[in-house]
Amino acid sequence: MAKQMHDTPMLDQLESGPWPSFVTGLKRLAKDNDMMVDLLGQLETSYETRKGYWKGGTVGVIGYGGGIIPRFTELKGDDGKALFPAAAEFHTLRIMPPPGMHYDTNTIRKMCDIWEKYGSGLIAFHGQSGDIMFQGCSTDNVQPAFDELNEMGFDLGGAGPAVRTGMSCVGAARCENSCVDEGRTMRMLVNNALDDMHRPALPYKFKYKVSGCPNDCMNSVQRADLATIGTWRDDMKVDQEEVKKFVATRGRKYTIDNVITRCPTKALSLNDDDTLSVDNPSCVRCMHCINVMNKALSPGDDKGVTLLCGGKRTLKIGDLLGTVIVPFMKLETDEDFETLEELATEILDFFAENALEHERTGEMVERIGLVNFLEGVGLEIDPNMIERPRMNPYVRMDGWDEEAAKWAEHKTAQ
Amino acid sequence: MSEPRMQIESGVPEMEAYLHPVLKKNYGQWAWHERPRPGVLHHVAKSGDSIWTVRAGTQRQMDLYTIRKLMDIADEFAEGYVRFTIRSNIEYMVSEESKVQPLIDKLGSEGFPIGGTGNSVSMISHTQGWLHCDIPGTDASGAVKALMDDLYDEFVKEEMPNRVRITTSCCQINCGGQGDIAINIQHTKPPKIDHDQVANVCERPSVVARCPVAAIRPAMVNGKPSLEVDEKKCICCGACFPPCPPMQINDPEHSKFAIWVGGKNSNARSKPTLHKLVAAGVPNNPPRWPEVSAVVKQILAAYKADARDWERIGEWADRIGWPKFFEKTGLPFTKYHIDNWRGSRNNLNTSAHIRF
């Protein structure tokens, strides 16, 4: 029998309205879970005072240094005792889902049973890093809860200055735009770095995200230290019969206004017979026309990935988007995957050795310059890496002849 | 004493065991898709196989009774497999079209909205807030619940010019990420320092190093080693608070919301962009944050009325120009919109391109 519920007049106002209510869910759990009764008490207090009352600490599982988010209440009376003692410890286990966040119902039911036994019964599908968040666990129950989840085949994700849980889009499993095996790529990148995930010792967090095409549904350019984005380098594919059908159905004006003139590099032209001409060398693989006419247009056959490095949010120098470090690489054969795995290891090692404390890769590259970074990890320069050449003369260029010779050599080698 | 159980460091599990059989069979072999109605996707494989996906909104922070209910629906009305989107929508895959409507009806009767596809306002991606974070300026789940109640119609319909992706963050670190509209805490006062605690709790040199504007320096206060903040330099970002909790940045009154627009991760048409400040000083007003909803709805209404097909919010603003953006949304333009951080000249107009 659970303890008596606290009054929650503020939270109660989040039970009305058409969107599913997490408060109703918390209250249902509280009917037979004392931790949830007191969690509601503390949360209601936060709503009243507009203050948070959790502090971190050190809670973990045997063998790992991270992956648990410890939370201890700071809401205490004058006697130092927790005002909501049943929720005085409210830790989270971050558990990595399968790529693409696919599940069969039995797996999720088993997870629910484990969490009913050891935790509060509250699970987030999913946190912002892509973990399943098992929220609300006492210190004593963290280990047994992890053990059972681990026996199911699931492992802890990342937290702190460590490789973080990766994300990949639905991709090849259900999307015609997939240019790469996203799940295999993400899984390889993360599983290659598990030591740096589970024993946090990096300067700061490091994130891998994988999107199967330049629509970048995983926001990798904005959020990943190493963004892997599917693309292709031959001509995009055009089914002219389907183009004609599209024009016949939607009309020429719609096609011109919403496809032809929307092309960022003016690579499209609608012919008099309602077929489509594509200037493929001008195409930047933005995906817009393919998104709009997905039955008529599709990515080419010579698929691969573009790699970008350094995306992150505000702390400390401001928001950064990732920038190109590999314009194109194939990612089909086992050897291709090994090449990427080796490169990712180089980048992670370089970051571990050269970043300052609490510095992300984007900030490190900003500080040392892209060329130093590329040389450090063994990558060739490429004009696809820049928006435009430098606009100021403040650079020492007495190595020009050698560099120009390298370019000539590079051209001959191609 | 028995040996402790050691972890199996298995990492990310293989996907295959969790994939719907039709997805497994046609992996990497999809041909095209259509959206028969909002919230439903129909994908066709090169083999001729079809899969219908029904997408429903969830509250993300789910009690296990809700999760079990969703699984019951998957077993009874779908085919025993689900997946989640990056925005916490649940997706049910079925191999027969005849199963779509009963599934929609069941989800609807259990209170789960069907939508979030195409040109809709999808579920808001959010952070933990007061429920679980150690440094939050506000709640996340509550603000999102209140806002999604208000935007419900835009989730279940596809009536926006293009997709709208909203994010919220309960501090300026912005774990919520970039969005077409981002609703983020913005502190407006320097941290309040508990000098009795600093030396006990904080590693002072790393706190000094954390400050983006070098406004923090070591100091002796009341005979104790502590830290002081040059309040003229301080930008109130809160970066010092996580490594040094006695430097309290959250303030019930002075931690406000700022609203940003035009973040875009897709490469479609224009290159990816970061979001831009459009409104600030919005009060942090639980439990339903009506002032936040009002500004978001103001922006969405102007966008919906004025943007052309396929323009995301940032692309719309780029076409009509920022003077028109502020005019059409009715939001005030202030000196705070003019960037003065490093690289700020890139955000100034270096031309005679002026709109009248």
Side-chain angles (χ1 to χ4, degrees):
Chain A
M1 184 61 200
K3 64 196 280 186
Q4 200 185 339
M5 296 279 279
H6 306 285
D7 284 339
T8 54
M10 301 217 28
L11 290 171
D12 293 352
Q13 294 178 54
L14 289 168
E15 288 200 89
S16 57
W19 194 259
S21 169
F22 73 104
V23 173
T24 304
L26 298 184
K27 285 187 171 179
R28 172 65 190 85
L29 289 170
K31 280 186 190 167
D32 27 48
N33 186 313
D34 288 352
M35 181 185 269
M36 262 308 152
V37 175
D38 275 2
L39 185 276
L40 280 160
Q42 172 159 330
L43 190 57
E44 177 72 13
T45 310
S46 283
Y47 271 64
E48 285 164 9
T49 60
R50 304 181 187 189
K51 285 181 179 171
Y53 294 104
W54 298 112
K55 67 172 180 184
T58 311
V59 177
V61 298
I62 293 167
Y64 290 165
I68 309 293
I69 313 296
R71 290 292 177 256
F72 297 92
T73 188
E74 287 191 293
L75 199 50
K76 292 174 182 169
D78 293 335
D79 56 0
K81 287 187 181 155
L83 293 183
F84 298 101
E89 297 169 352
F90 196 76
H91 315 312
T92 283
L93 278 75
R94 288 186 174 174
I95 294 285
M96 292 192 281
M101 297 167 174
H102 298 273
Y103 301 95
D104 64 297
T105 52
N106 281 337
T107 298
I108 291 188
R109 286 181 197 282
K110 272 191 222 163
M111 288 175 170
C112 287
D113 293 346
I114 293 171
W115 204 234
E116 189 167 43
K117 192 163 142 195
Y118 295 112
S120 72
L122 181 66
I123 310 177
F125 284 99
H126 297 82
Q128 281 299 96
S129 295
D131 295 281
I132 317 167
M133 312 269 270
F134 292 84
Q135 300 189 297
C137 193
S138 66
T139 307
D140 287 346
N141 278 350
V142 165
Q143 185 72 47
F146 168 70
D147 286 343
E148 290 200 20
L149 290 163
N150 195 210
E151 290 294 336
M152 280 179 70
F154 289 85
D155 200 358
L156 279 190
V163 167
R164 297 299 187 88
T165 301
M167 290 176 94
S168 58
C169 61
V170 66
R174 201 199 55 201
C175 180
E176 64 273 16
N177 293 333
S178 169
C179 293
V180 62
D181 188 338
E182 303 83 0
R184 179 180 175 185
T185 308
M186 186 276 271
R187 198 166 165 259
M188 179 202 72
L189 289 168
V190 172
N191 287 358
N192 181 47
L194 288 179
D195 194 35
D196 278 317
M197 167 177 279
H198 291 137
R199 290 149 202 104
L202 294 174
Y204 198 19
K205 63 182 90 169
F206 189 101
K207 297 187 175 188
Y208 297 109
K209 293 191 194 295
V210 181
S211 289
C213 83
N215 282 322
D216 194 7
C217 292
M218 292 297 101
N219 306 4
S220 66
V221 71
Q222 292 160 339
R223 301 166 57 115
D225 294 278
L226 185 62
T228 307
I229 300 180
T231 188
W232 67 97
R233 61 181 170 183
D234 57 343
D235 294 354
M236 66 183 259
K237 293 201 275 195
V238 183
D239 181 335
Q240 297 290 6
E241 287 313 306
E242 287 294 338
V243 173
K244 285 185 198 171
K245 274 190 211 164
F246 183 93
V247 179
T249 322
R250 309 299 288 267
R252 286 205 185 99
K253 181 174 168 56
Y254 183 92
T255 309
I256 291 166
D257 288 351
N258 288 291
V259 183
I260 308 297
T261 59
R262 289 277 184 216
C263 174
T265 52
K266 302 179 176 61
L268 299 178
S269 177
L270 188 66
N271 299 319
D272 289 342
D273 62 355
D274 291 341
T275 59
L276 186 72
S277 292
V278 182
D279 172 17
N280 276 287
S282 297
C283 170
V284 288
R285 281 71 180 154
C286 87
M287 297 300 295
H288 173 76
C289 62
I290 295 177
N291 292 341
V292 181
M293 302 172 70
N294 83 80
K295 209 169 173 181
L297 309 178
S298 43
D301 290 321
D302 189 7
K303 292 170 177 171
V305 293
T306 297
L307 304 183
L308 299 94
C309 177
K312 59 173 278 293
R313 226 337 236 184
T314 315
L315 273 178
K316 168 179 168 181
I317 67 168
D319 310 62
L320 300 177
L321 294 166
T323 73
V324 173
I325 58 165
V326 175
F328 184 86
M329 68 180 283
K330 292 294 283 182
L331 201 49
E332 282 168 4
T333 64
D334 290 349
E335 291 74 38
D336 295 339
F337 277 89
E338 265 171 46
T339 306
L340 178 59
E341 187 177 296
E342 282 163 21
L343 177 60
T345 305
E346 281 290 331
I347 293 170
L348 191 59
D349 287 349
F350 187 89
F351 170 65
E353 281 165 28
N354 293 283
L356 304 177
E357 191 205 333
H358 217 256
E359 190 177 57
R360 292 283 291 272
T361 50
E363 289 159 316
M364 175 188 70
V365 172
E366 162 108 353
R367 179 169 54 81
I368 67 175
L370 180 66
V371 170
N372 284 330
F373 172 72
L374 295 172
E375 285 175 358
V377 300
L379 285 171
E380 297 287 323
I381 58 163
D382 188 290
N384 280 303
M385 293 174 182
I386 60 169
E387 180 74 14
R388 62 184 74 85
R390 74 162 62 236
M391 295 191 286
N392 73 66
Y394 289 166
V395 55
R396 181 170 166 171
M397 289 194 275
D398 47 1
W400 178 271
D401 288 345
E402 286 158 40
E403 293 300 318
K406 273 190 211 165
W407 179 251
E409 211 175 290
H410 173 74
K411 297 299 282 180
T412 324
Q414 275 182 341
Chain B
M1 191 181 157
S2 62
E3 289 286 305
R5 176 192 176 276
M6 294 308 290
Q7 79 285 355
I8 304 163
E9 199 159 6
S10 48
V12 184
E14 277 192 76
M15 184 198 314
E16 211 173 300
Y18 309 102
L19 268 186
H20 186 287
V22 174
L23 302 191
K24 196 187 297 184
K25 181 187 162 202
N26 296 286
Y27 195 85
Q29 297 299 322
W30 295 95
W32 59 277
H33 82 277
E34 62 184 350
R35 298 194 310 278
R37 53 152 283 175
V40 180
L41 308 169
H42 170 217
H43 285 86
V44 180
K46 290 171 186 165
S47 67
D49 288 353
S50 272
I51 195 88
W52 283 265
T53 300
V54 175
R55 183 180 292 178
T58 75
Q59 59 271 59
R60 190 181 100 152
Q61 319 291 135
M62 284 186 282
D63 59 289
L64 50 86
Y65 301 99
T66 297
I67 300 169
R68 284 176 180 152
K69 187 191 290 172
L70 290 167
M71 295 306 108
D72 289 345
I73 295 171
D75 285 334
E76 195 179 340
F77 291 85
E79 294 165 354
Y81 292 87
V82 298
R83 71 174 293 272
F84 289 88
T85 71
I86 190 173
R87 312 190 80 80
S88 300
N89 299 311
I90 190 167
E91 293 188 334
Y92 293 87
M93 278 71 67
V94 293
S95 57
E96 289 166 44
E97 189 175 9
S98 62
K99 292 181 179 171
V100 172
Q101 194 57 47
L103 177 56
I104 289 175
D105 294 343
K106 178 64 179 172
L107 284 163
S109 73
E110 296 288 352
F112 297 101
I114 309 297
T117 52
N119 298 346
S120 64
V121 178
S122 190
M123 167 62 168
I124 298 168
S125 72
H126 67 86
T127 52
Q128 298 288 358
W130 290 326
L131 179 70
H132 199 261
C133 185
D134 58 340
I135 54 169
T138 187
D139 198 30
S141 324
V144 167
K145 155 70 179 156
L147 203 49
M148 287 312 293
D149 280 342
D150 276 2
L151 300 176
Y152 185 88
D153 271 356
E154 301 298 350
F155 180 87
V156 301
K157 295 173 183 165
E158 295 180 352
E159 292 181 351
M160 284 288 160
N162 199 342
R163 64 194 59 214
V164 178
R165 297 295 178 255
I166 303 179
T167 68
T168 69
S169 286
C170 41
C171 79
Q172 285 181 229
I173 293 172
N174 191 18
C175 302
Q178 292 282 327
D180 290 289
I181 302 177
I183 304 154
N184 298 348
I185 278 286
Q186 182 85 20
H187 306 294
T188 61
K189 298 288 181 196
K192 286 186 185 133
I193 307 174
D194 180 352
H195 291 288
D196 290 337
Q197 290 297 323
V198 170
N200 299 334
V201 184
C202 316
E203 193 186 327
R204 292 189 302 151
S206 46
V207 182
V208 170
R210 197 69 62 89
C211 178
V213 292
I216 303 174
R217 58 192 169 225
M220 293 293 284
V221 182
N222 304 329
K224 289 181 184 166
S226 185
L227 294 165
E228 64 183 14
V229 172
D230 181 343
E231 297 202 350
K232 285 201 187 91
K233 275 183 167 176
C234 178
I235 49 171
C236 314
C237 71
C240 52
F241 178 52
C244 189
M247 301 183 75
Q248 179 58 257
I249 189 71
N250 290 310
D251 184 290
E253 186 189 346
H254 298 296
S255 293
K256 309 273 194 184
F257 281 103
I259 296 180
W260 310 68
V261 307
K264 168 175 172 290
N265 51 287
S266 168
N267 287 270
R269 302 166 304 283
S270 52
K271 290 186 174 182
T273 49
L274 300 169
H275 52 228
K276 274 82 55 180
L277 176 72
V278 294
V282 185
N284 180 17
N285 198 3
R288 294 195 70 94
W289 293 270
E291 298 86 354
V292 171
S293 285
V295 176
V296 169
K297 286 198 280 190
Q298 233 173 310
I299 295 167
L300 284 175
Y303 166 65
K304 191 174 180 178
D306 194 59
R308 293 178 184 160
D309 289 350
W310 298 100
E311 277 178 342
R312 295 282 287 265
I313 290 180
E315 294 172 303
W316 165 60
D318 281 344
R319 176 175 59 81
I320 65 171
W322 290 101
K324 273 280 184 304
F325 175 91
F326 286 100
E327 188 185 310
K328 284 180 186 292
T329 55
L331 296 169
F333 179 74
T334 70
K335 68 178 184 180
Y336 299 110
H337 292 99
I338 301 176
D339 194 359
N340 59 358
W341 187 245
R342 64 177 77 174
S344 62
R345 286 185 65 86
N346 294 327
N347 294 329
L348 305 180
N349 185 0
T350 56
S351 75
H353 289 203
I354 306 290
R355 287 173 169 90
F356 297 103

